[in-house]
Amino acid sequence: MKRLPSVLLLIFFFTFTMMLPQAGAERKTDGKPDGGALNYGEYGRPATLDPITSNDMISMRVIELIFNGLVGIDEKQEIVPELAERSEISEDGRTYTFYLRQDVTWHPKEGEDPVPFMADDVIFTYNIMMHPQTITSLKVRYEFIESVTKIDDYTVEFKLKRPILNALAKFSFKIIPKHGPENPEFLSREDPFVQKPIGTGPYMLKNITADREVILVANDSYFKGRPHIDKFAARPFADQNIMSQALLFNAIDMIVLVNHRDIPQVQGDKRFVLQPYNALSYSFFGYNIRNPLLADKRVRKAFTFAVNRQEMLDSFFQGQGTIISGPFAPGSWAYNLDVQPLQYDPQKAIELLNEAGFVKGDDGIMVKDGQKLSLTLKVPIEKESEAVKRVVLAFRNYLNKIGVDIEGEFKEWLSWKEDVFLKHDFDIIFASWVFDDSADISSLFHSAEIGPWKNNFGAYSNPEVDSLIVESKLTLDHEKRRTINRKLHAIIADESPYTFLWTLTNYAAFNKKLRRVAIHPYKFFSFADDWFIPTSEQR
Amino acid sequence: MKLSSIRPVAFLISKELVIAALLLLGVSFVIFIILFLSPGDPFGVMLKGQMISGSAKAGVREALSMSSAWYSQYLSWLVNMLHGDFGTSTRTGLPVLSEVIRVGINTLYLTIGSMLVTLFLAVPIAIFSARRGMTVFNWTSTIFTYVVSALPVFWLGYIVIYISIHQFGLFPLAFGSGSQKIDWLNFMLPVFVLGIGNGTISEVVRYLREEMERVFSEDYIRTARAKGASIWKHSFKEGFLIPITEIVASKIPFILGGAVVVEQVFNWPGMGRMAWQAAQDRDYPLIMGITLLAAIIVRLGSLIQRVVHIMVNPRASQE
Amino acid sequence: MKRYSQYSVEVSDFSDVPFWKKASFMDLVYVSYGIFIVILVIGSYIVGAFDLLPYDPHEINLELLMAPPQSSGHFLGTDFMGRDILSRLIIGIQAYFLPGLLAIAIAIILGTCFGVLAGYWGSGFDTIITYINNLLNSFPRLVLILLMVAAFKPDIYYIMVIVGITNVPVVASLIKGKIQFLKQKYFIEAATALGLKNRVIIFKHILWHNCRSILIIQATLGMAEAILMETSLSYLGFGVQEPTPSWGNMVQAGANYLMQGKFWPSTAPALAILFTIMGFHLLGDGLNNMLERRRNK
């Protein structure tokens, strides 16, 4: 009698698919024309196209077009329902129940009927993600979930280990289909699914061409209505200068991130639109506080005073950015606008150094107890690194002016990473952090995060900061957390474990024929199903 | 063809195959040692975006069922390779063999094409200057080849692209320019740049000229000339065929190196570009695959050269 | 790297006429141009050492980024950091010269050793050395260099060591070929029959009399190759690192602006590379012609 249940299930399955509303011909109701194609240029090519194993921005952007999460984030950064129609949060804040949409189908495989999206897929995705043999950067972010249960085919319940603030936003992870991966337990990069993803999103993968171009076509039965543009193509480039020329020459229609060097040229061209979007990231010089010379807060602060950030921003990035004062991304709610960035003041810097016991030696270099203030700045090599070179060279120049000797050392990327995060063999680094929406800085400055391969590479440790970070994590009140974070911001700004530099305004450049373009800060294509091309310009 | 000329060739080929196998073993071993010595590993790339702890790394190792001792890693790679399994790229998960063949073919177009460009320009110049000495025309063309091959190849590529955009209104990328059909001009430009740049053409001209001059001054050619017979016919094999195959075979590794740069400038989805990416990702299986393919191409070039040499001059096989 | 004819024998220099007197006019021009370039290189060191540069090559001027030539006293304009291009151009050769010499020294010394071992003592050595040669020939060099750079650091000396090592096979096979040719002509047998020691035969009669042109030419070409290699690596980001100026990283930095129609920052160093490499090429050509004396038959 072992067979019967499966047969029953099959029948059930079958009738159920029949009952589903036919979503095939659904159109958007905004009256905008369908059709046209968008070719966008990427610097590099995506490694994998599934939401679990992928971890580069290029893949992320493609994935945003193919997949959906239970919830999404709209243009105002608010959480909106996506695959889940609505959600319920229990009194104690530990149980999240999601009621799934019943009109969603997975992208059909060729010649097959579309499979409906159901609760099993959500549970499957969670299990795959948390399986120890799945290699994914998402795992740590979902450790707060204790369990997930299926209530019925269209209801899922998540139990949290402890209530946390803004947990709902975290359920925006992308759902993959149960029938997708070959291996039902975990997902490795060898699974064919990672190159042939099946999602629920507005676009579905058509093919990857021989020169690694990713071709996506509109999903006619997308549950929010068919997207307007028929085809998206991600075209890989190996040289940024050539990519910009490709845009100017209409070989591609869009560049997701324009090199700041090319902004004036694109700006001057009437055929293109430059659209800013604020990335949740910032650049900084990070100090190794293990070095006794840098252990003194006054020295680090002196460095910040000595650097003319506005001049660098204006000269190198056409002023396209905001100078920051503290550890949060300025776009986020946690950023404390009351703390002003230190003004450029080399005189003050010298005074601070003198205060810390340094005096100018014969060769113009500051000396304390016979020890020269001479430091190594380690920078990773990238092929396209003009901006990095500029900032690093200018920094060196500014510090030389106040009598600090900086030895720049460029290293290959992975060996740089090993020096900084494993061996801690550096004095200063130049780097950037990119944040998700959570504005969580605990891993950057908490003293428990000092150690090999941990994010507090500079060994910054301050009991007050530690306790504030913990407190901020535990509180469930948004306003209270804001206050704590503002305090954190003020302390860290004063202690200067980093010289915080700026958040750059990113620019996407695209052909004028694209209309109603809205861009998500780091997922980019979240709203691409609303973009359209007027019929007359569809070529 | 006479049997007597086939036998040494067959012998040579079988001998070369054995040598090639040994060489490939050596190449793979050396590359593996260097990979092992270089900091960072493929796990770093797979876990990019999160800072990894030692335990997470061990987990990845386990997930990939990879032992940590380098010799057992090498041996298992070798055994798999002998069974025709080159593994999968750690970055994309795609099988190495098909990936390498895909890009290898693109690179072969580029290298063979550029080789033909080089020969097409270099051979006439070399012949004329060997036969007629340094006339004004020969001198100018020789100097021209020196000039172009002394230019940085990526700069030359940029200039060519700039000119084709601004003078001819063409965007010269064969791949990724949107046109479905491969435009011949777009295809030719990178081939042309790699053919004349990269320091190859001047060396070919010089080598061929030297060799031809030497052959033209040999006794038997002088005799032939005195008899009024065609010099060309007599000097073809030794003064033309052998030097060309020789220089071509010896330039293959350099052209493959130049392809790394040209492929990046012209967005050519080839082996050099992939090798570069793979080396930065520490994508071990892919690096090994590409190195092997490159080594095979080099060996193939030298095999052809040896075969030609022996077929032209059977005595050489006894050396 | 180039190969030169291995087939002429110089038994001994009986003639009293110095070789430059027998040279043709063009060869003299070539060689003097090459020597001129070498003098310029030495001049660059002198100018650098005595602080005679028009500007400090490291002086950053953020108000004057990418200034066109002839502006504000900068003869060749300024680069992406507002530094004077002319000054950087003048000392740019120094980034290559000593490392290039190292590459040449490695290639020549190791190559000669291998060549003599394989050619003079024959079969046993020959098999091993042929194997090593073929092995070195089979690597994709740029990838090898990237891996080495990662394993150690992106230092021009490390890169040049690899360039030198990968050039060993060329020199070795040239020397070996020459020795085998000499053997064919019973040159070595004759020398041995005269009772000469191996040492004397190798150093005086083989290397000095018969291989010096090969070696000199390989040396001049090695420099040209070192420059081109560094330039390619600079494009990929692994050449000489800032703030040290090298022509390669100057071309690379300038080429970023080439598509915007700003030619000067990359063209000036590219031309410097061109004239220098031409100089070494022509020096090699001229010396070859003079030493081999084939031109004045």
Side-chain angles (χ1 to χ4, degrees):
Chain A
M1 287 303 287
K2 259 189 167 176
R3 271 200 118 114
L4 192 58
S6 64
V7 173
L8 274 179
L9 192 77
L10 201 75
I11 295 169
F12 173 74
F13 204 77
F14 192 64
T15 46
F16 208 86
T17 33
M18 299 294 282
M19 273 157 44
L20 271 172
Q22 233 16 75
E26 200 177 312
R27 298 264 154 197
K28 279 192 187 287
T29 49
D30 56 9
K32 300 298 180 203
D34 288 355
L38 167 65
N39 302 308
Y40 69 98
E42 285 278 14
Y43 180 51
R45 60 191 186 84
T48 53
L49 296 177
D50 71 287
I52 301 207
T53 66
S54 68
N55 53 14
D56 52 307
M57 298 304 286
I58 301 168
S59 309
M60 282 250 296
R61 287 188 272 262
V62 176
I63 285 159
E64 191 64 19
L65 290 166
I66 301 179
F67 291 92
N68 292 106
L70 289 174
V71 298
I73 291 157
D74 74 359
E75 290 166 50
K76 297 181 202 84
Q77 300 291 314
E78 313 231 319
I79 296 158
V80 289
E82 215 160 65
L83 288 176
E85 235 163 14
R86 62 197 170 85
S87 54
E88 273 171 17
I89 307 169
S90 68
E91 290 281 304
D92 62 355
R94 286 191 53 207
T95 312
Y96 281 69
T97 315
F98 292 94
Y99 298 91
L100 308 180
R101 288 180 77 118
Q102 307 201 357
D103 57 348
V104 181
T105 56
W106 294 104
H107 298 157
K109 280 185 191 165
E110 207 145 308
E112 286 175 32
D113 279 334
V115 181
F117 158 75
M118 286 195 288
D120 282 337
D121 297 315
V122 179
I123 291 164
F124 175 76
T125 305
Y126 173 77
N127 287 339
I128 286 262
M129 202 159 70
M130 301 313 280
H131 191 281
Q133 270 174 279
T134 303
I135 303 164
T136 172
S137 51
L138 295 173
K139 212 168 281 176
V140 277
R141 287 167 64 185
Y142 294 97
E143 267 160 0
F144 68 91
I145 297 174
E146 190 178 273
S147 67
V148 49
T149 35
K150 170 181 166 184
I151 306 292
D152 62 44
D153 271 347
Y154 290 99
T155 318
V156 200
E157 190 184 87
F158 283 90
K159 273 242 185 309
L160 273 50
K161 287 179 184 151
R162 54 181 173 80
I164 58 167
L165 192 61
N166 283 337
L168 197 55
K170 300 205 174 194
F171 288 99
S172 59
F173 64 85
K174 308 286 183 203
I175 307 294
I176 62 169
K178 201 177 167 194
H179 62 279
E182 268 179 8
N183 185 330
E185 280 170 21
F186 62 91
L187 190 63
S188 72
R189 290 190 176 204
E190 288 168 27
D191 201 301
F193 179 72
V194 305
Q195 299 292 338
K196 290 193 180 68
I198 301 168
T200 53
Y203 287 88
M204 43 194 191
L205 181 75
K206 187 169 162 240
N207 63 317
I208 300 174
T209 64
D211 42 322
R212 311 323 277 173
E213 206 176 302
V214 180
I215 313 274
L216 305 169
V217 290
N219 175 9
D220 285 329
S221 47
Y222 184 49
F223 62 90
K224 289 186 196 162
R226 184 193 186 276
H228 291 304
I229 299 174
D230 282 345
K231 190 179 127 192
F232 267 62
R235 201 160 276 167
F237 282 83
D239 186 303
Q240 285 205 345
N241 297 315
I242 304 298
M243 183 162 81
S244 303
Q245 292 306 307
L247 176 78
L248 294 171
F249 204 76
N250 285 331
I252 50 174
D253 307 314
M254 177 179 234
I255 293 179
V256 293
L257 182 57
V258 184
N259 195 322
H260 281 90
R261 176 173 70 218
D262 295 325
I263 284 179
Q265 211 187 359
V266 182
Q267 218 161 23
D269 199 322
K270 290 269 181 295
R271 297 171 297 161
F272 303 103
V273 181
L274 268 179
Q275 183 149 324
Y277 59 101
N278 205 348
L280 294 172
S281 72
Y282 60 74
S283 307
F284 61 87
F285 284 100
Y287 302 112
N288 191 352
I289 293 163
R290 294 177 189 85
N291 184 339
L293 290 172
L294 289 167
D296 191 329
K297 152 181 142 184
R298 286 169 297 191
V299 175
R300 306 191 302 258
K301 239 180 154 169
F303 288 4
T304 310
F305 271 118
V307 176
N308 191 345
R309 291 175 282 182
Q310 192 62 49
E311 188 182 34
M312 285 199 269
L313 197 58
D314 290 343
S315 317
F316 304 151
F317 304 103
Q318 274 82 35
Q320 305 293 346
T322 323
I323 290 177
I324 56 165
S325 58
F328 297 99
S332 85
W333 49 270
Y335 187 83
N336 187 348
L337 285 170
D338 295 341
V339 180
Q340 288 296 319
L342 301 179
Q343 288 298 313
Y344 171 59
D345 190 347
Q347 204 47 49
K348 184 96 198 266
I350 293 171
E351 278 164 30
L352 273 173
L353 283 180
N354 292 340
E355 222 175 278
F358 289 95
V359 281
K360 218 161 223 175
D362 301 331
D363 53 353
I365 308 284
M366 292 278 187
V367 187
K368 181 188 181 181
D369 308 332
Q371 206 177 357
K372 273 192 186 172
L373 193 49
S374 159
L375 302 162
T376 316
L377 168 63
K378 286 206 173 167
V379 189
I381 296 177
E382 287 163 66
K383 186 175 155 243
E384 183 52 56
S385 60
E386 190 193 34
V388 174
K389 281 182 196 154
R390 283 179 145 178
V391 173
V392 164
L393 289 175
F395 177 79
R396 196 167 164 262
N397 196 37
Y398 288 127
L399 289 196
N400 276 340
K401 279 185 193 157
I402 63 160
V404 184
D405 176 38
I406 301 286
E407 185 64 46
E409 194 180 328
F410 288 83
K411 293 207 86 172
E412 193 266 345
W413 198 75
L414 286 174
S415 53
W416 174 82
K417 211 169 150 183
E418 223 173 78
D419 276 5
V420 173
F421 288 99
L422 181 67
K423 297 183 193 149
H424 305 297
D425 173 23
F426 68 99
D427 296 320
I428 310 176
I429 61 163
F430 173 66
S432 311
W433 288 123
V434 182
F435 290 84
D436 58 4
D437 337 65
S438 62
D440 182 4
I441 60 157
S442 55
S443 76
L444 309 189
F445 298 109
H446 195 284
S447 59
E449 290 289 329
I450 301 174
W453 293 119
K454 291 199 170 170
N455 279 355
N456 191 348
F457 53 85
Y460 172 73
S461 138
N462 179 341
E464 199 186 354
V465 168
D466 286 359
S467 67
L468 280 174
I469 285 175
V470 172
E471 205 182 322
S472 146
K473 257 193 153 170
L474 290 179
T475 182
L476 290 175
D477 181 67
H478 193 271
E479 261 322 297
K480 209 171 146 197
R481 181 186 264 195
R482 219 181 123 109
T483 328
I484 297 170
N485 278 345
R486 285 167 67 87
K487 212 162 147 190
L488 256 179
H489 184 136
I491 296 174
I492 291 178
D494 180 59
E495 293 258 288
S496 301
Y498 297 169
T499 287
F500 297 99
L501 296 174
W502 46 62
T503 288
L504 294 179
T505 313
N506 289 340
Y507 280 93
F510 51 87
N511 196 300
K512 270 228 162 74
K513 70 179 183 181
L514 280 179
R515 302 291 160 82
R516 211 166 59 184
V517 176
I519 295 166
H520 186 278
Y522 65 92
K523 293 177 181 166
F524 202 85
F525 285 125
S526 300
F527 320 114
D529 56 322
D530 284 335
W531 301 3
F532 71 93
I533 302 171
T535 321
S536 57
E537 291 172 60
Q538 284 175 4
R539 263 193 266 171
Chain B
M1 195 176 288
K2 279 173 295 184
L3 187 69
S4 58
S5 66
I6 292 177
R7 193 176 292 146
V9 170
F11 175 72
L12 174 83
I13 289 179
S14 48
K15 194 176 123 194
E16 274 286 313
L17 282 180
V18 175
I19 294 175
L22 280 173
L23 278 174
L24 295 183
L25 194 71
V27 166
S28 68
F29 187 73
V30 172
I31 288 285
F32 204 89
I33 296 283
I34 298 171
L35 281 176
F36 186 76
L37 287 177
S38 58
D41 49 35
F43 320 127
V45 174
M46 294 171 83
L47 288 167
K48 195 172 81 186
Q50 80 185 62
M51 285 306 156
I52 37 180
S53 61
S55 64
K57 234 175 177 176
V60 176
R61 242 173 225 285
E62 205 174 299
L64 294 173
S65 59
M66 196 180 246
S67 57
S68 46
W70 65 272
Y71 53 86
S72 60
Q73 275 181 41
Y74 179 67
L75 282 181
S76 70
W77 177 84
L78 197 64
V79 169
N80 286 339
M81 202 261 304
L82 290 177
H83 288 99
D85 175 15
F86 286 79
T88 56
S89 155
T90 46
R91 181 168 179 266
T92 61
L94 294 167
V96 167
L97 190 60
S98 66
E99 281 289 277
V100 165
I101 288 175
R102 176 177 67 78
V103 294
I105 288 172
N106 286 337
T107 296
L108 272 186
Y109 289 148
L110 187 63
T111 43
I112 292 176
S114 74
M115 197 83 83
L116 292 177
V117 169
T118 307
L119 293 179
F120 186 73
L121 288 173
V123 170
I125 295 175
I127 291 177
F128 278 118
S129 33
R131 295 255 342 239
R132 306 243 182 277
M134 278 296 165
T135 62
V136 175
F137 172 76
N138 291 337
W139 188 81
T140 331
S141 42
T142 308
I143 293 295
F144 168 76
T145 63
Y146 286 11
V147 167
V148 287
S149 59
L151 286 171
V153 64
F154 74 92
W155 186 78
L156 190 63
Y158 271 42
I159 293 276
V160 165
I161 291 178
Y162 184 87
I163 291 173
S164 77
I165 287 178
H166 292 269
Q167 294 298 314
F168 303 109
L170 294 167
F171 191 71
L173 298 190
F175 297 89
S177 63
S179 58
Q180 288 302 313
K181 58 174 175 44
I182 288 183
D183 194 323
W184 275 105
L185 183 72
N186 297 348
F187 193 80
M188 280 312 293
L189 279 178
V191 168
F192 175 72
V193 166
L194 186 58
I196 66 168
N198 200 32
T200 314
I201 192 165
S202 65
E203 294 175 31
V204 177
V205 166
R206 190 195 313 247
Y207 181 72
L208 289 182
R209 193 183 61 213
E210 295 288 332
E211 286 297 290
M212 286 173 187
E213 272 179 4
R214 181 182 65 76
V215 171
F216 287 157
S217 64
E218 294 263 345
D219 291 346
Y220 69 95
I221 299 288
R222 286 191 198 175
T223 321
R225 189 181 273 172
K227 282 198 301 188
S230 157
I231 305 170
W232 179 243
K233 204 175 127 204
H234 282 84
S235 62
F236 175 74
K237 283 178 180 174
E238 211 188 334
F240 189 75
L241 207 54
I242 292 180
I244 284 182
T245 48
E246 224 163 59
I247 187 80
V248 163
S250 72
K251 290 315 286 181
I252 287 176
F254 293 82
I255 296 176
L256 286 178
V260 175
V261 172
V262 172
E263 282 170 10
Q264 303 225 10
V265 172
F266 285 92
N267 218 35
W268 192 282
M271 198 165 78
R273 210 172 123 186
M274 180 177 268
W276 192 250
Q277 178 74 48
Q280 280 172 311
D281 292 344
R282 306 290 190 278
D283 196 336
Y284 291 4
L286 198 54
I287 296 174
M288 300 296 277
I290 293 172
T291 326
L292 280 190
L293 181 63
I296 287 171
I297 294 177
V298 173
R299 294 317 322 149
L300 212 61
S302 95
L303 179 67
I304 292 172
Q305 180 239 318
R306 299 282 297 275
V307 168
V308 168
H309 199 106
I310 286 184
M311 286 176 41
V312 169
N313 181 8
R315 260 188 321 164
S317 63
Q318 273 115 52
E319 273 175 21
Chain C
M1 214 171 260
K2 346 260 139 120
R3 298 183 172 196
Y4 278 88
S5 188
Q6 314 156 349
Y7 302 99
S8 68
V9 190
E10 185 112 5
V11 178
S12 192
D13 225 343
F14 292 118
S15 160
D16 292 333
V17 189
F19 65 85
W20 57 84
K21 287 212 173 146
K22 297 178 288 190
S24 77
F25 174 70
M26 268 338 265
D27 293 337
L28 282 179
V29 172
Y30 286 0
V31 171
S32 26
Y33 176 69
I35 290 172
F36 172 67
I37 292 289
V38 173
I39 291 172
L40 282 188
V41 172
I42 296 164
S44 143
Y45 278 93
I46 296 170
V47 167
F50 290 97
D51 223 2
L52 298 170
L53 294 167
Y55 284 86
D56 177 359
H58 295 291
E59 191 187 288
I60 291 168
N61 185 352
L62 297 187
E63 256 110 63
L64 211 64
L65 302 181
M66 305 300 297
Q70 312 281 12
S71 61
S72 319
H74 294 280
F75 182 67
L76 289 176
T78 59
D79 69 355
F80 69 111
M81 288 304 291
R83 296 172 297 196
D84 183 51
I85 290 182
L86 179 63
S87 308
R88 293 178 73 74
L89 203 63
I90 292 173
I91 61 164
I93 183 65
Q94 298 177 10
Y96 308 106
F97 196 63
L98 294 178
L101 287 182
L102 176 71
I104 292 168
I106 289 175
I108 295 231
I109 293 171
L110 281 182
T112 309
C113 291
F114 280 20
V116 168
L117 282 179
Y120 197 78
W121 276 289
S123 61
F125 284 116
D126 195 14
T127 320
I128 298 169
I129 283 162
T130 312
Y131 180 78
I132 295 176
N133 281 354
N134 285 335
L135 192 66
L136 287 172
N137 251 333
S138 306
F139 286 107
R141 279 212 297 180
L142 274 173
V143 174
L144 193 67
I145 288 177
L146 174 75
L147 290 174
M148 295 303 273
V149 160
F152 302 104
K153 61 178 190 179
D155 190 302
I156 184 76
Y157 283 95
Y158 288 113
I159 294 168
M160 285 305 149
V161 167
I162 299 168
V163 170
I165 289 175
T166 46
N167 276 334
V168 167
V170 182
V171 180
S173 66
L174 283 174
I175 302 271
K176 189 185 106 181
K178 189 88 190 185
I179 293 177
Q180 279 174 346
F181 177 76
L182 293 177
K183 270 186 172 170
Q184 257 180 27
K185 302 266 173 189
Y186 305 106
F187 173 79
I188 291 168
E189 270 179 37
T192 323
L194 283 175
L196 293 177
K197 288 192 185 113
N198 278 343
R199 188 162 46 88
V200 178
I201 299 177
I202 291 171
F203 282 104
K204 187 168 174 208
H205 294 276
I206 294 178
L207 290 183
W208 176 242
H209 286 314
N210 281 300
C211 295
R212 63 182 178 200
S213 72
I214 294 178
L215 294 179
I216 289 173
I217 287 150
Q218 290 302 322
T220 56
L221 298 178
M223 187 60 85
E225 204 196 342
I227 295 175
L228 275 184
M229 179 54 93
E230 195 273 342
T231 313
S232 285
L233 278 171
S234 278
Y235 171 70
L236 299 164
F238 288 90
V240 172
Q241 298 295 328
E242 294 280 352
T244 312
S246 81
W247 291 342
N249 67 27
M250 291 173 74
V251 177
Q252 190 274 331
N256 285 330
Y257 294 87
L258 199 141
M259 293 292 167
Q260 300 178 7
K262 295 174 182 167
F263 290 101
W264 67 91
S266 60
T267 308
L271 290 180
I273 290 175
L274 188 147
F275 288 124
T276 310
I277 291 184
M278 283 279 288
F280 286 112
H281 275 311
L282 293 181
L283 186 65
D285 259 17
L287 284 179
N288 180 47
N289 293 342
M290 285 185 186
L291 293 172
E292 298 285 334
R293 273 196 263 148
R294 199 127 14 80
R295 236 8 100 160
N296 20 332
K297 270 192 295 268

